[in-house]
């Protein structure tokens, strides 16, 4: 089983960016933990981060070409605004879990709406870095049951 992790803008700044909201763990550390869990779950996992919407859309489309089984995605701010990412996820038809470090529903009004949640196989938010691990476990279980 092959899982692609896709992370959006500013997540490369984790550990420095508003630690009171996003925690002090770096993205590299979170991805390392995901890779360890993926190995335990007998999965291959690769990660991609970009601050550029088009690069994220390209990566989503590439997932179909390389026969990715599932996507774990933290769209970050683009989750609230990007119709292009929504269209890409809809087009490829690959099951995905949306994750957020913070509880977007307890934040500013503009962060409470996600452009992709209704397409997701599941959503995990508000557990900090653990959101990724919970999301990965859920995605793998859902794919194995399918």
């Amino acid at each position: 089983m092959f899982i692609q992790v896709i992370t959006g803008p500013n997540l490369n700044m984790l550990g420095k960016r508003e630690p009171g909201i996003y925690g002090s763990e770096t993205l590299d550390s979170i991805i390392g933990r995901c890779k360890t869990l993926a190995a335990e779950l007998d999965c291959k996992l690769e990660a991609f981060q970009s601050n550029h919407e088009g690069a994220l859309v390209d990566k989503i489309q590439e997932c179909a070409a390389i026969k990715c089984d599932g996507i774990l995605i933290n769209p970050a701010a683009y989750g609230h605004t990007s119709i292009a990412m929504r269209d890409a996820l809809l087009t490829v038809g690959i099951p995905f879990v949306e994750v957020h470090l913070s509880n977007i529903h307890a934040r500013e009004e503009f962060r409470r709406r996600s452009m992709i949640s209704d397409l997701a196989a599941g959503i995990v938010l508000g557990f900090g870095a653990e959101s990724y691990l919970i999301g990965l476990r859920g995605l793998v279980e859902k794919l194995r049951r399918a």
Side-chain angles (χ1 to χ4, degrees):
M1 185 179 299
F2 173 46
I3 305 296
Q4 178 70 58
V5 177
I6 299 175
T7 55
N10 297 310
L11 292 170
N12 58 310
M13 299 302 292
L14 288 178
K16 299 175 188 167
R17 178 184 178 211
E18 300 177 88
I21 294 173
Y22 300 108
S24 58
E25 192 168 355
T26 65
L27 182 60
D28 285 342
S29 173
I30 294 168
I31 296 304
R33 292 173 61 200
C34 285
K35 287 182 176 181
T36 298
L37 177 58
E40 291 171 16
L41 297 171
D42 197 28
C43 296
K44 177 183 172 188
L45 183 138
E46 291 183 8
F48 176 80
Q49 187 279 327
S50 180
N51 294 320
H52 304 283
E53 184 178 21
L56 295 164
V57 169
D58 288 344
K59 180 53 82 170
I60 292 166
Q61 292 175 356
E62 180 185 303
C63 286
I66 61 174
K67 307 287 192 238
C68 179
D69 296 298
I71 299 171
L72 186 67
I73 185 167
N74 183 342
Y78 289 136
H80 313 296
T81 63
S82 180
I83 295 168
M85 284 182 63
R86 176 187 173 80
D87 288 349
L89 288 162
L90 189 59
T91 299
V92 299
I94 297 170
F96 71 92
V97 169
E98 178 182 7
V99 299
H100 293 278
L101 297 165
S102 66
N103 178 353
I104 62 173
H105 300 291
R107 298 198 52 203
E108 305 94 336
E109 186 66 35
F110 66 88
R111 293 187 197 274
R112 295 179 187 168
R113 183 171 142 244
S114 168
M115 299 294 288
I116 66 171
S117 290
D118 64 312
L119 303 175
I123 306 160
V124 181
L125 49 90
F127 294 100
E130 292 301 311
S131 293
Y132 282 82
L133 301 172
I134 296 165
L136 178 58
R137 282 187 187 281
L139 178 58
V140 168
E141 181 63 28
K142 194 165 240 337
L143 291 170
R144 288 197 171 133
R145 287 184 184 179

